[in-house]
Amino acid sequence: MTPEYDIAILLATRGRTTSLGRCIHTLIESADNSDRLQLMFAFDNDDTAGTEYFQQHLQPWMDKRDLNYTAMQFDRQGYHRLHVYNNKLAEHTDARWLMIWNDDAVMETQGWDTEIMQREGEFKLLAVHTHKDHPYSIFPILPRKWYDLLGYISPHSVQDGWLSQQAYLLDIFERIPVWVLHDRADITGNNNDATFRERAALEGRPYDPNDFHSVKQMELRHRDCTTLATYMHGQGLDLEFFKKIWTGEQDPWEKLVQNDVNKQMVQFDNPHKHFTK
């Protein structure tokens, strides 16, 4: 069946009010065609501030503009289970592309939706310019088919890293001319609230099986990557880069390193040097 929408925005939010409104306003007001968007919100069922702001301010504004949106409530999962929110939101989307958004993100590019749709029909992970061009796709944009193949966007809360590493291995990572400000406390000094301070660190401890860089998690990413590669092979898509990794002819992280223009990956004892065949 043909999807009803072009781009679904997945937004798990907690405790945010005006910043939540701003992040949605900038998305909608800079889109060429807001009718093509499906807005998906996840709220904790104990988040009084966030839900009241949504109901009293954001919801009437979206209704006035006749926007397409769905709001879901969850038992609180916490930052270490952030992926649970987005995986469930994705399940309920009906769009060609999925975009993970943040309640402290500000869209700065007019026509960002048109830039995404210019890649319609392509199977790749898209990245915007943000975080001094971090080599990961910080606000990942992926085809809905990616979710359908695996049954989730990511089984780990480090969703940007999970998707980006798979995309680099498959050579399907593309940065597009879209700029986003991540108005986060450790970047801009803003939004230094409980939501920010309570975030969990799930990287840099490879001895912990739940850590992003543990052998357990790397092997799971490689398994998922093989599933994606199998689909790509069936579609006749280029897998030369991926095949050369397995034969030892290709450094799997060559393009990640090339994209790390500000050396932002050195904080973790070179976690990308390992690739289990």
Side-chain angles (χ1 to χ4, degrees), residues 165-199:
Q165 288 200 10
Q166 292 177 352
Y168 278 117
L169 292 174
L170 294 166
D171 196 22
I172 54 173
F173 184 100
E174 180 185 354
R175 197 174 301 280
I176 61 177
V178 172
W179 279 260
V180 175
L181 168 67
H182 196 177
D183 197 15
R184 199 174 71 183
D186 57 340
I187 299 173
T188 66
N190 298 324
N191 292 306
N192 188 12
D193 54 14
T195 300
F196 172 77
R197 292 190 296 272
E198 291 172 7
R199 74 197 190 286

PDB file of all heavy atoms in Angstrom, residues 165-199:
ATOM      1  N   GLN A 165      26.552   3.420  12.332  1.00  0.00           N
ATOM      2  CA  GLN A 165      27.555   2.384  12.107  1.00  0.00           C
ATOM      3  C   GLN A 165      27.098   1.398  11.038  1.00  0.00           C
ATOM      4  O   GLN A 165      27.885   0.986  10.174  1.00  0.00           O
ATOM      5  CB  GLN A 165      27.880   1.663  13.418  1.00  0.00           C
ATOM      6  CG  GLN A 165      28.685   2.515  14.377  1.00  0.00           C
ATOM      7  CD  GLN A 165      29.420   1.686  15.423  1.00  0.00           C
ATOM      8  OE1 GLN A 165      29.495   0.464  15.339  1.00  0.00           O
ATOM      9  NE2 GLN A 165      29.971   2.353  16.409  1.00  0.00           N
ATOM     10  N   GLN A 166      25.838   1.020  11.059  1.00  0.00           N
ATOM     11  CA  GLN A 166      25.320   0.145  10.015  1.00  0.00           C
ATOM     12  C   GLN A 166      25.426   0.811   8.645  1.00  0.00           C
ATOM     13  O   GLN A 166      25.817   0.172   7.653  1.00  0.00           O
ATOM     14  CB  GLN A 166      23.871  -0.222  10.314  1.00  0.00           C
ATOM     15  CG  GLN A 166      23.710  -1.113  11.530  1.00  0.00           C
ATOM     16  CD  GLN A 166      22.256  -1.399  11.859  1.00  0.00           C
ATOM     17  OE1 GLN A 166      21.353  -0.815  11.263  1.00  0.00           O
ATOM     18  NE2 GLN A 166      22.033  -2.289  12.806  1.00  0.00           N
ATOM     19  N   ALA A 167      25.079   2.096   8.597  1.00  0.00           N
ATOM     20  CA  ALA A 167      25.117   2.807   7.324  1.00  0.00           C
ATOM     21  C   ALA A 167      26.534   2.912   6.770  1.00  0.00           C
ATOM     22  O   ALA A 167      26.758   2.794   5.554  1.00  0.00           O
ATOM     23  CB  ALA A 167      24.503   4.198   7.481  1.00  0.00           C
ATOM     24  N   TYR A 168      27.514   3.129   7.654  1.00  0.00           N
ATOM     25  CA  TYR A 168      28.904   3.187   7.188  1.00  0.00           C
ATOM     26  C   TYR A 168      29.365   1.828   6.665  1.00  0.00           C
ATOM     27  O   TYR A 168      30.061   1.749   5.640  1.00  0.00           O
ATOM     28  CB  TYR A 168      29.815   3.669   8.312  1.00  0.00           C
ATOM     29  CG  TYR A 168      29.834   5.175   8.468  1.00  0.00           C
ATOM     30  CD1 TYR A 168      29.375   5.782   9.634  1.00  0.00           C
ATOM     31  CD2 TYR A 168      30.308   6.000   7.443  1.00  0.00           C
ATOM     32  CE1 TYR A 168      29.386   7.156   9.778  1.00  0.00           C
ATOM     33  CE2 TYR A 168      30.331   7.377   7.583  1.00  0.00           C
ATOM     34  CZ  TYR A 168      29.861   7.949   8.752  1.00  0.00           C
ATOM     35  OH  TYR A 168      29.876   9.320   8.884  1.00  0.00           O
ATOM     36  N   LEU A 169      29.007   0.753   7.346  1.00  0.00           N
ATOM     37  CA  LEU A 169      29.403  -0.573   6.895  1.00  0.00           C
ATOM     38  C   LEU A 169      28.818  -0.893   5.514  1.00  0.00           C
ATOM     39  O   LEU A 169      29.464  -1.549   4.689  1.00  0.00           O
ATOM     40  CB  LEU A 169      28.962  -1.630   7.900  1.00  0.00           C
ATOM     41  CG  LEU A 169      29.651  -1.625   9.272  1.00  0.00           C
ATOM     42  CD1 LEU A 169      28.987  -2.640  10.194  1.00  0.00           C
ATOM     43  CD2 LEU A 169      31.133  -1.920   9.136  1.00  0.00           C
ATOM     44  N   LEU A 170      27.606  -0.410   5.275  1.00  0.00           N
ATOM     45  CA  LEU A 170      26.923  -0.680   4.013  1.00  0.00           C
ATOM     46  C   LEU A 170      27.167   0.400   2.967  1.00  0.00           C
ATOM     47  O   LEU A 170      26.697   0.290   1.840  1.00  0.00           O
ATOM     48  CB  LEU A 170      25.415  -0.817   4.266  1.00  0.00           C
ATOM     49  CG  LEU A 170      25.009  -2.032   5.107  1.00  0.00           C
ATOM     50  CD1 LEU A 170      23.568  -1.901   5.587  1.00  0.00           C
ATOM     51  CD2 LEU A 170      25.191  -3.319   4.309  1.00  0.00           C
ATOM     52  N   ASP A 171      27.892   1.453   3.369  1.00  0.00           N
ATOM     53  CA  ASP A 171      28.197   2.574   2.483  1.00  0.00           C
ATOM     54  C   ASP A 171      26.920   3.250   1.970  1.00  0.00           C
ATOM     55  O   ASP A 171      26.787   3.563   0.786  1.00  0.00           O
ATOM     56  CB  ASP A 171      29.062   2.111   1.308  1.00  0.00           C
ATOM     57  CG  ASP A 171      29.735   3.287   0.585  1.00  0.00           C
ATOM     58  OD1 ASP A 171      29.868   4.357   1.208  1.00  0.00           O
ATOM     59  OD2 ASP A 171      30.114   3.119  -0.594  1.00  0.00           O
ATOM     60  N   ILE A 172      25.993   3.485   2.896  1.00  0.00           N
ATOM     61  CA  ILE A 172      24.735   4.143   2.533  1.00  0.00           C
ATOM     62  C   ILE A 172      24.485   5.348   3.448  1.00  0.00           C
ATOM     63  O   ILE A 172      23.335   5.684   3.756  1.00  0.00           O
ATOM     64  CB  ILE A 172      23.543   3.170   2.582  1.00  0.00           C
ATOM     65  CG1 ILE A 172      23.449   2.458   3.946  1.00  0.00           C
ATOM     66  CG2 ILE A 172      23.622   2.150   1.446  1.00  0.00           C
ATOM     67  CD1 ILE A 172      22.194   1.617   4.117  1.00  0.00           C
ATOM     68  N   PHE A 173      25.539   6.005   3.888  1.00  0.00           N
ATOM     69  CA  PHE A 173      25.437   7.194   4.736  1.00  0.00           C
ATOM     70  C   PHE A 173      25.557   8.427   3.848  1.00  0.00           C
ATOM     71  O   PHE A 173      26.497   8.552   3.072  1.00  0.00           O
ATOM     72  CB  PHE A 173      26.562   7.183   5.770  1.00  0.00           C
ATOM     73  CG  PHE A 173      26.527   8.311   6.772  1.00  0.00           C
ATOM     74  CD1 PHE A 173      26.016   8.113   8.039  1.00  0.00           C
ATOM     75  CD2 PHE A 173      27.023   9.567   6.449  1.00  0.00           C
ATOM     76  CE1 PHE A 173      25.992   9.145   8.977  1.00  0.00           C
ATOM     77  CE2 PHE A 173      27.013  10.598   7.369  1.00  0.00           C
ATOM     78  CZ  PHE A 173      26.501  10.392   8.645  1.00  0.00           C
ATOM     79  N   GLU A 174      24.603   9.350   3.955  1.00  0.00           N
ATOM     80  CA  GLU A 174      24.664  10.588   3.161  1.00  0.00           C
ATOM     81  C   GLU A 174      24.275  11.791   4.022  1.00  0.00           C
ATOM     82  O   GLU A 174      23.204  11.815   4.626  1.00  0.00           O
ATOM     83  CB  GLU A 174      23.737  10.539   1.947  1.00  0.00           C
ATOM     84  CG  GLU A 174      23.800  11.813   1.113  1.00  0.00           C
ATOM     85  CD  GLU A 174      22.815  11.856  -0.044  1.00  0.00           C
ATOM     86  OE1 GLU A 174      22.142  10.836  -0.290  1.00  0.00           O
ATOM     87  OE2 GLU A 174      22.705  12.917  -0.701  1.00  0.00           O
ATOM     88  N   ARG A 175      25.158  12.805   4.045  1.00  0.00           N
ATOM     89  CA  ARG A 175      24.817  14.058   4.719  1.00  0.00           C
ATOM     90  C   ARG A 175      24.165  14.991   3.706  1.00  0.00           C
ATOM     91  O   ARG A 175      24.678  15.184   2.600  1.00  0.00           O
ATOM     92  CB  ARG A 175      26.054  14.722   5.318  1.00  0.00           C
ATOM     93  CG  ARG A 175      25.685  15.789   6.376  1.00  0.00           C
ATOM     94  CD  ARG A 175      26.902  16.344   7.071  1.00  0.00           C
ATOM     95  NE  ARG A 175      27.701  15.351   7.762  1.00  0.00           N
ATOM     96  CZ  ARG A 175      27.416  14.856   8.963  1.00  0.00           C
ATOM     97  NH1 ARG A 175      26.335  15.253   9.605  1.00  0.00           N
ATOM     98  NH2 ARG A 175      28.219  13.973   9.531  1.00  0.00           N
ATOM     99  N   ILE A 176      23.032  15.545   4.084  1.00  0.00           N
ATOM    100  CA  ILE A 176      22.270  16.393   3.171  1.00  0.00           C
ATOM    101  C   ILE A 176      22.377  17.858   3.607  1.00  0.00           C
ATOM    102  O   ILE A 176      22.708  18.141   4.761  1.00  0.00           O
ATOM    103  CB  ILE A 176      20.790  15.952   3.102  1.00  0.00           C
ATOM    104  CG1 ILE A 176      20.119  16.052   4.485  1.00  0.00           C
ATOM    105  CG2 ILE A 176      20.697  14.524   2.573  1.00  0.00           C
ATOM    106  CD1 ILE A 176      18.626  15.705   4.474  1.00  0.00           C
ATOM    107  N   PRO A 177      22.114  18.812   2.704  1.00  0.00           N
ATOM    108  CA  PRO A 177      22.261  20.235   3.037  1.00  0.00           C
ATOM    109  C   PRO A 177      21.112  20.767   3.889  1.00  0.00           C
ATOM    110  O   PRO A 177      20.331  21.630   3.466  1.00  0.00           O
ATOM    111  CB  PRO A 177      22.309  20.902   1.664  1.00  0.00           C
ATOM    112  CG  PRO A 177      21.529  20.000   0.773  1.00  0.00           C
ATOM    113  CD  PRO A 177      21.823  18.610   1.263  1.00  0.00           C
ATOM    114  N   VAL A 178      21.008  20.228   5.103  1.00  0.00           N
ATOM    115  CA  VAL A 178      20.009  20.658   6.082  1.00  0.00           C
ATOM    116  C   VAL A 178      20.738  20.907   7.391  1.00  0.00           C
ATOM    117  O   VAL A 178      21.536  20.068   7.819  1.00  0.00           O
ATOM    118  CB  VAL A 178      18.918  19.581   6.267  1.00  0.00           C
ATOM    119  CG1 VAL A 178      17.985  19.954   7.427  1.00  0.00           C
ATOM    120  CG2 VAL A 178      18.116  19.402   4.983  1.00  0.00           C
ATOM    121  N   TRP A 179      20.474  22.058   8.014  1.00  0.00           N
ATOM    122  CA  TRP A 179      21.174  22.442   9.247  1.00  0.00           C
ATOM    123  C   TRP A 179      20.199  22.472  10.414  1.00  0.00           C
ATOM    124  O   TRP A 179      19.091  23.025  10.310  1.00  0.00           O
ATOM    125  CB  TRP A 179      21.839  23.802   9.072  1.00  0.00           C
ATOM    126  CG  TRP A 179      23.161  23.717   8.358  1.00  0.00           C
ATOM    127  CD1 TRP A 179      24.407  23.732   8.907  1.00  0.00           C
ATOM    128  CD2 TRP A 179      23.355  23.568   6.938  1.00  0.00           C
ATOM    129  NE1 TRP A 179      25.367  23.612   7.926  1.00  0.00           N
ATOM    130  CE2 TRP A 179      24.756  23.509   6.706  1.00  0.00           C
ATOM    131  CE3 TRP A 179      22.492  23.479   5.838  1.00  0.00           C
ATOM    132  CZ2 TRP A 179      25.303  23.360   5.439  1.00  0.00           C
ATOM    133  CZ3 TRP A 179      23.034  23.327   4.569  1.00  0.00           C
ATOM    134  CH2 TRP A 179      24.430  23.272   4.385  1.00  0.00           C
ATOM    135  N   VAL A 180      20.635  21.897  11.533  1.00  0.00           N
ATOM    136  CA  VAL A 180      19.821  21.829  12.747  1.00  0.00           C
ATOM    137  C   VAL A 180      20.668  22.273  13.934  1.00  0.00           C
ATOM    138  O   VAL A 180      21.810  21.820  14.095  1.00  0.00           O
ATOM    139  CB  VAL A 180      19.305  20.398  12.988  1.00  0.00           C
ATOM    140  CG1 VAL A 180      18.569  20.310  14.330  1.00  0.00           C
ATOM    141  CG2 VAL A 180      18.386  19.950  11.858  1.00  0.00           C
ATOM    142  N   LEU A 181      20.126  23.144  14.756  1.00  0.00           N
ATOM    143  CA  LEU A 181      20.758  23.522  16.016  1.00  0.00           C
ATOM    144  C   LEU A 181      20.259  22.588  17.107  1.00  0.00           C
ATOM    145  O   LEU A 181      19.049  22.475  17.321  1.00  0.00           O
ATOM    146  CB  LEU A 181      20.417  24.967  16.380  1.00  0.00           C
ATOM    147  CG  LEU A 181      20.785  25.400  17.813  1.00  0.00           C
ATOM    148  CD1 LEU A 181      22.308  25.427  17.988  1.00  0.00           C
ATOM    149  CD2 LEU A 181      20.172  26.761  18.145  1.00  0.00           C
ATOM    150  N   HIS A 182      21.180  21.910  17.785  1.00  0.00           N
ATOM    151  CA  HIS A 182      20.804  21.100  18.944  1.00  0.00           C
ATOM    152  C   HIS A 182      21.046  21.967  20.168  1.00  0.00           C
ATOM    153  O   HIS A 182      22.177  22.128  20.629  1.00  0.00           O
ATOM    154  CB  HIS A 182      21.637  19.823  19.005  1.00  0.00           C
ATOM    155  CG  HIS A 182      21.059  18.798  19.917  1.00  0.00           C
ATOM    156  ND1 HIS A 182      21.608  17.544  20.095  1.00  0.00           N
ATOM    157  CD2 HIS A 182      19.960  18.827  20.724  1.00  0.00           C
ATOM    158  CE1 HIS A 182      20.877  16.858  20.955  1.00  0.00           C
ATOM    159  NE2 HIS A 182      19.878  17.613  21.360  1.00  0.00           N
ATOM    160  N   ASP A 183      19.968  22.523  20.703  1.00  0.00           N
ATOM    161  CA  ASP A 183      20.057  23.503  21.784  1.00  0.00           C
ATOM    162  C   ASP A 183      20.150  22.790  23.127  1.00  0.00           C
ATOM    163  O   ASP A 183      19.301  22.948  24.009  1.00  0.00           O
ATOM    164  CB  ASP A 183      18.826  24.424  21.728  1.00  0.00           C
ATOM    165  CG  ASP A 183      19.024  25.704  22.521  1.00  0.00           C
ATOM    166  OD1 ASP A 183      20.181  26.012  22.863  1.00  0.00           O
ATOM    167  OD2 ASP A 183      18.017  26.391  22.773  1.00  0.00           O
ATOM    168  N   ARG A 184      21.219  22.011  23.286  1.00  0.00           N
ATOM    169  CA  ARG A 184      21.426  21.167  24.457  1.00  0.00           C
ATOM    170  C   ARG A 184      22.419  21.817  25.402  1.00  0.00           C
ATOM    171  O   ARG A 184      23.337  22.517  24.977  1.00  0.00           O
ATOM    172  CB  ARG A 184      21.944  19.794  24.006  1.00  0.00           C
ATOM    173  CG  ARG A 184      21.778  18.687  25.015  1.00  0.00           C
ATOM    174  CD  ARG A 184      22.184  17.356  24.413  1.00  0.00           C
ATOM    175  NE  ARG A 184      23.637  17.273  24.211  1.00  0.00           N
ATOM    176  CZ  ARG A 184      24.250  16.239  23.642  1.00  0.00           C
ATOM    177  NH1 ARG A 184      23.525  15.237  23.174  1.00  0.00           N
ATOM    178  NH2 ARG A 184      25.559  16.216  23.516  1.00  0.00           N
ATOM    179  N   ALA A 185      22.267  21.549  26.696  1.00  0.00           N
ATOM    180  CA  ALA A 185      23.034  22.259  27.724  1.00  0.00           C
ATOM    181  C   ALA A 185      24.539  22.174  27.513  1.00  0.00           C
ATOM    182  O   ALA A 185      25.254  23.163  27.676  1.00  0.00           O
ATOM    183  CB  ALA A 185      22.664  21.737  29.106  1.00  0.00           C
ATOM    184  N   ASP A 186      25.051  20.991  27.141  1.00  0.00           N
ATOM    185  CA  ASP A 186      26.492  20.859  27.001  1.00  0.00           C
ATOM    186  C   ASP A 186      27.016  21.409  25.682  1.00  0.00           C
ATOM    187  O   ASP A 186      28.225  21.427  25.449  1.00  0.00           O
ATOM    188  CB  ASP A 186      26.918  19.398  27.148  1.00  0.00           C
ATOM    189  CG  ASP A 186      26.235  18.482  26.147  1.00  0.00           C
ATOM    190  OD1 ASP A 186      25.178  18.865  25.607  1.00  0.00           O
ATOM    191  OD2 ASP A 186      26.760  17.377  25.889  1.00  0.00           O
ATOM    192  N   ILE A 187      26.106  21.894  24.825  1.00  0.00           N
ATOM    193  CA  ILE A 187      26.502  22.486  23.548  1.00  0.00           C
ATOM    194  C   ILE A 187      26.278  23.983  23.545  1.00  0.00           C
ATOM    195  O   ILE A 187      27.164  24.760  23.172  1.00  0.00           O
ATOM    196  CB  ILE A 187      25.725  21.836  22.384  1.00  0.00           C
ATOM    197  CG1 ILE A 187      26.034  20.333  22.331  1.00  0.00           C
ATOM    198  CG2 ILE A 187      26.057  22.504  21.048  1.00  0.00           C
ATOM    199  CD1 ILE A 187      25.198  19.580  21.324  1.00  0.00           C
ATOM    200  N   THR A 188      25.090  24.404  23.977  1.00  0.00           N
ATOM    201  CA  THR A 188      24.743  25.827  23.952  1.00  0.00           C
ATOM    202  C   THR A 188      24.594  26.440  25.341  1.00  0.00           C
ATOM    203  O   THR A 188      24.527  27.658  25.465  1.00  0.00           O
ATOM    204  CB  THR A 188      23.425  26.039  23.190  1.00  0.00           C
ATOM    205  OG1 THR A 188      22.355  25.432  23.925  1.00  0.00           O
ATOM    206  CG2 THR A 188      23.499  25.437  21.789  1.00  0.00           C
ATOM    207  N   GLY A 189      24.467  25.611  26.376  1.00  0.00           N
ATOM    208  CA  GLY A 189      24.227  26.111  27.729  1.00  0.00           C
ATOM    209  C   GLY A 189      22.758  26.224  28.072  1.00  0.00           C
ATOM    210  O   GLY A 189      22.411  26.496  29.225  1.00  0.00           O
ATOM    211  N   ASN A 190      21.875  25.956  27.097  1.00  0.00           N
ATOM    212  CA  ASN A 190      20.435  26.056  27.329  1.00  0.00           C
ATOM    213  C   ASN A 190      19.833  24.697  27.681  1.00  0.00           C
ATOM    214  O   ASN A 190      20.436  23.656  27.455  1.00  0.00           O
ATOM    215  CB  ASN A 190      19.745  26.620  26.088  1.00  0.00           C
ATOM    216  CG  ASN A 190      20.225  28.013  25.751  1.00  0.00           C
ATOM    217  OD1 ASN A 190      20.514  28.816  26.638  1.00  0.00           O
ATOM    218  ND2 ASN A 190      20.320  28.319  24.462  1.00  0.00           N
ATOM    219  N   ASN A 191      18.619  24.729  28.227  1.00  0.00           N
ATOM    220  CA  ASN A 191      17.876  23.510  28.580  1.00  0.00           C
ATOM    221  C   ASN A 191      18.637  22.630  29.573  1.00  0.00           C
ATOM    222  O   ASN A 191      18.590  21.397  29.494  1.00  0.00           O
ATOM    223  CB  ASN A 191      17.530  22.714  27.314  1.00  0.00           C
ATOM    224  CG  ASN A 191      16.530  23.432  26.436  1.00  0.00           C
ATOM    225  OD1 ASN A 191      15.455  23.812  26.889  1.00  0.00           O
ATOM    226  ND2 ASN A 191      16.901  23.656  25.185  1.00  0.00           N
ATOM    227  N   ASN A 192      19.294  23.261  30.520  1.00  0.00           N
ATOM    228  CA  ASN A 192      20.012  22.513  31.556  1.00  0.00           C
ATOM    229  C   ASN A 192      19.033  22.158  32.680  1.00  0.00           C
ATOM    230  O   ASN A 192      19.111  22.650  33.789  1.00  0.00           O
ATOM    231  CB  ASN A 192      21.186  23.322  32.097  1.00  0.00           C
ATOM    232  CG  ASN A 192      22.073  22.508  33.022  1.00  0.00           C
ATOM    233  OD1 ASN A 192      21.941  21.292  33.096  1.00  0.00           O
ATOM    234  ND2 ASN A 192      22.962  23.182  33.721  1.00  0.00           N
ATOM    235  N   ASP A 193      18.103  21.280  32.347  1.00  0.00           N
ATOM    236  CA  ASP A 193      17.039  20.931  33.287  1.00  0.00           C
ATOM    237  C   ASP A 193      17.189  19.481  33.735  1.00  0.00           C
ATOM    238  O   ASP A 193      18.166  18.803  33.415  1.00  0.00           O
ATOM    239  CB  ASP A 193      15.666  21.173  32.645  1.00  0.00           C
ATOM    240  CG  ASP A 193      15.521  20.450  31.299  1.00  0.00           C
ATOM    241  OD1 ASP A 193      16.359  19.569  30.984  1.00  0.00           O
ATOM    242  OD2 ASP A 193      14.563  20.760  30.562  1.00  0.00           O
ATOM    243  N   ALA A 194      16.197  18.991  34.481  1.00  0.00           N
ATOM    244  CA  ALA A 194      16.254  17.624  35.000  1.00  0.00           C
ATOM    245  C   ALA A 194      16.315  16.601  33.879  1.00  0.00           C
ATOM    246  O   ALA A 194      16.997  15.577  33.989  1.00  0.00           O
ATOM    247  CB  ALA A 194      15.044  17.354  35.899  1.00  0.00           C
ATOM    248  N   THR A 195      15.608  16.862  32.794  1.00  0.00           N
ATOM    249  CA  THR A 195      15.618  15.941  31.657  1.00  0.00           C
ATOM    250  C   THR A 195      17.033  15.761  31.125  1.00  0.00           C
ATOM    251  O   THR A 195      17.456  14.642  30.818  1.00  0.00           O
ATOM    252  CB  THR A 195      14.693  16.457  30.544  1.00  0.00           C
ATOM    253  OG1 THR A 195      13.355  16.555  31.054  1.00  0.00           O
ATOM    254  CG2 THR A 195      14.705  15.525  29.343  1.00  0.00           C
ATOM    255  N   PHE A 196      17.785  16.853  31.033  1.00  0.00           N
ATOM    256  CA  PHE A 196      19.164  16.770  30.560  1.00  0.00           C
ATOM    257  C   PHE A 196      20.062  16.100  31.596  1.00  0.00           C
ATOM    258  O   PHE A 196      20.857  15.212  31.267  1.00  0.00           O
ATOM    259  CB  PHE A 196      19.695  18.164  30.233  1.00  0.00           C
ATOM    260  CG  PHE A 196      21.169  18.189  29.917  1.00  0.00           C
ATOM    261  CD1 PHE A 196      21.637  17.763  28.694  1.00  0.00           C
ATOM    262  CD2 PHE A 196      22.084  18.628  30.873  1.00  0.00           C
ATOM    263  CE1 PHE A 196      23.000  17.768  28.410  1.00  0.00           C
ATOM    264  CE2 PHE A 196      23.443  18.640  30.600  1.00  0.00           C
ATOM    265  CZ  PHE A 196      23.905  18.211  29.360  1.00  0.00           C
ATOM    266  N   ARG A 197      19.936  16.505  32.855  1.00  0.00           N
ATOM    267  CA  ARG A 197      20.846  16.009  33.882  1.00  0.00           C
ATOM    268  C   ARG A 197      20.654  14.534  34.206  1.00  0.00           C
ATOM    269  O   ARG A 197      21.576  13.869  34.675  1.00  0.00           O
ATOM    270  CB  ARG A 197      20.689  16.851  35.157  1.00  0.00           C
ATOM    271  CG  ARG A 197      21.193  18.288  34.994  1.00  0.00           C
ATOM    272  CD  ARG A 197      21.234  18.999  36.338  1.00  0.00           C
ATOM    273  NE  ARG A 197      19.906  19.151  36.920  1.00  0.00           N
ATOM    274  CZ  ARG A 197      19.100  20.179  36.688  1.00  0.00           C
ATOM    275  NH1 ARG A 197      19.484  21.151  35.872  1.00  0.00           N
ATOM    276  NH2 ARG A 197      17.910  20.248  37.271  1.00  0.00           N
ATOM    277  N   GLU A 198      19.466  14.004  33.939  1.00  0.00           N
ATOM    278  CA  GLU A 198      19.188  12.614  34.280  1.00  0.00           C
ATOM    279  C   GLU A 198      19.538  11.645  33.156  1.00  0.00           C
ATOM    280  O   GLU A 198      19.329  10.436  33.288  1.00  0.00           O
ATOM    281  CB  GLU A 198      17.706  12.459  34.635  1.00  0.00           C
ATOM    282  CG  GLU A 198      17.334  13.146  35.950  1.00  0.00           C
ATOM    283  CD  GLU A 198      15.838  13.163  36.193  1.00  0.00           C
ATOM    284  OE1 GLU A 198      15.094  12.527  35.402  1.00  0.00           O
ATOM    285  OE2 GLU A 198      15.402  13.827  37.149  1.00  0.00           O
ATOM    286  N   ARG A 199      20.089  12.160  32.056  1.00  0.00           N
ATOM    287  CA  ARG A 199      20.429  11.248  30.962  1.00  0.00           C
ATOM    288  C   ARG A 199      21.532  10.288  31.413  1.00  0.00           C
ATOM    289  O   ARG A 199      22.369  10.637  32.238  1.00  0.00           O
ATOM    290  CB  ARG A 199      20.860  12.046  29.725  1.00  0.00           C
ATOM    291  CG  ARG A 199      22.243  12.655  29.823  1.00  0.00           C
ATOM    292  CD  ARG A 199      22.437  13.751  28.791  1.00  0.00           C
ATOM    293  NE  ARG A 199      23.830  14.179  28.731  1.00  0.00           N
ATOM    294  CZ  ARG A 199      24.421  14.927  29.651  1.00  0.00           C
ATOM    295  NH1 ARG A 199      23.738  15.337  30.701  1.00  0.00           N
ATOM    296  NH2 ARG A 199      25.694  15.267  29.516  1.00  0.00           N
TER     297      ARG A 199
END
